[in-house]
Amino acid sequence: MVSMKYVCLVVLVIQTVSNVLLVRRTRHLNVSLPVVVLCQEFLKLFTCILIVLYNEGLDQLRRHVIRDWVTTLKVGVPALLYVIQNQLLFISLANLDPATYQITYQLKILTTAVFSIVLLSKSISKTQWLSLVILTVGVILVQWRGDKTAASTDNSSESSMTGLICILAACLTSGFAGVFFEMMLKNTGGQSVWIRNTQLALCSCVVAIANLLITERTFIATNGLFHDFQPVVYAVILSQAYGGLLIGLVVKYADNILKVFATSISIILSSLVGIFYFAELNFTLNFGVGLVLVLTSTVLYSAYPAKKKAE
């Protein structure tokens, strides 16, 4: 029988790659990103509430989400960090060329491993550490497209130092938020993953509303809340919302580092989509070697876990 964690990981890879196709088709639409984020968080919240009501009843929802408001506020920590992370990534993209951005952001894999050791007291074998290094090198090779001309001809005043600081900070917030949420999921005290997802979605909605009011008041006053919303935008909202819930299942049944591996594989498959569907990339030696390294690293990490100490 196939393990649930591998089912979740495969579905996550499929969802991530298909999401690329949808997001790419919204590039030229003048929509408000904070509005899109708020819509997907509301959809996640609505879905989680329905699932909790169906499986556990209204009493459990009131008890764990409303009455246990202290725990709900704790879940607000990763919700806030994810919003900060998105803002940092926007700033870094404005100050770094895409290739440098993609390469540097893969450092979140290592930050996730470090925070897993510190917060979850996980033991990682030497082979797993090696697999993390191999994964990082592989993803760097895949993303290193040799596309230096665009960067050299762009003479805009990019602040490389600002971009570097922001993306390094984003790697830290990504690793900490993901592991912190994993820690809460695996220390539920009888609470289901859907209760935790409801708490996270509720906090995310509050943060997203605050972000919308702070950053998009002028845009909304001028264009309206759902300006330029087309069917593909609603498809993106559906994909993003349920992809977020899927990540919650992945860290419940697997762990956050395996989730990062799945995301890294998705990056490679997304690049393949760029080659064969969008005709944006050329298959290079770097790409082929990077693909082999990433696939090898996933096998090493899964096949050689740290040995449990005898009690």
Side-chain angles (χ1 to χ4, degrees), residues 103-299:
I103 292 170
T104 310
Y105 192 44
Q106 301 315 309
L107 291 175
K108 67 181 180 179
I109 300 169
L110 295 180
T111 61
T112 300
V114 171
F115 283 122
S116 293
I117 294 173
V118 174
L119 296 180
L120 299 175
S121 299
K122 284 189 175 180
S123 296
I124 296 181
S125 66
K126 292 180 180 179
T127 303
Q128 286 180 314
W129 275 116
L130 176 62
S131 71
L132 288 172
V133 175
I134 293 174
L135 173 66
T136 304
V137 173
V139 174
I140 288 174
L141 285 174
V142 168
Q143 295 300 322
W144 193 275
R145 302 169 185 174
D147 190 15
K148 299 180 180 179
T149 55
S152 60
T153 56
D154 185 8
N155 296 319
S156 61
S157 56
E158 296 181 345
S159 175
S160 297
M161 183 58 66
T162 300
L164 180 60
I165 292 173
C166 287
I167 200 165
L168 290 177
C171 289
L172 289 173
T173 57
S174 175
F176 182 80
V179 174
F180 189 91
F181 188 54
E182 177 185 350
M183 180 176 63
M184 297 200 70
L185 283 174
K186 292 186 174 180
N187 294 279
T188 55
Q191 297 178 24
S192 69
V193 62
W194 296 112
I195 288 288
R196 288 301 188 205
N197 278 326
T198 302
Q199 293 171 323
L200 181 62
L202 178 61
C203 293
S204 297
C205 284
V206 174
V207 175
I209 290 172
N211 180 49
L212 181 65
L213 294 176
I214 293 172
T215 62
E216 294 292 283
R217 285 182 296 178
T218 302
F219 179 90
I220 294 174
T222 304
N223 302 296
L225 195 63
F226 300 105
H227 177 70
D228 215 8
F229 266 51
Q230 297 183 16
V232 67
V233 177
Y234 294 104
V236 168
I237 291 172
L238 288 171
S239 176
Q240 295 275 49
Y242 293 113
L245 295 178
L246 179 59
I247 288 175
L249 288 176
V250 168
V251 297
K252 175 68 175 181
Y253 292 105
D255 61 47
N256 205 61
I257 301 178
L258 280 176
K259 183 204 74 176
V260 175
F261 272 113
T263 304
S264 300
I265 295 174
S266 300
I267 293 175
I268 293 179
L269 294 179
S270 298
S271 299
L272 287 173
V273 171
I275 294 173
F276 296 107
Y277 186 80
F278 293 110
E280 293 177 329
L281 302 174
N282 294 319
F283 191 92
T284 63
L285 179 62
N286 282 354
F287 184 91
V289 173
L291 176 62
V292 173
L293 288 178
V294 170
L295 294 178
T296 301
S297 68
T298 60
V299 174

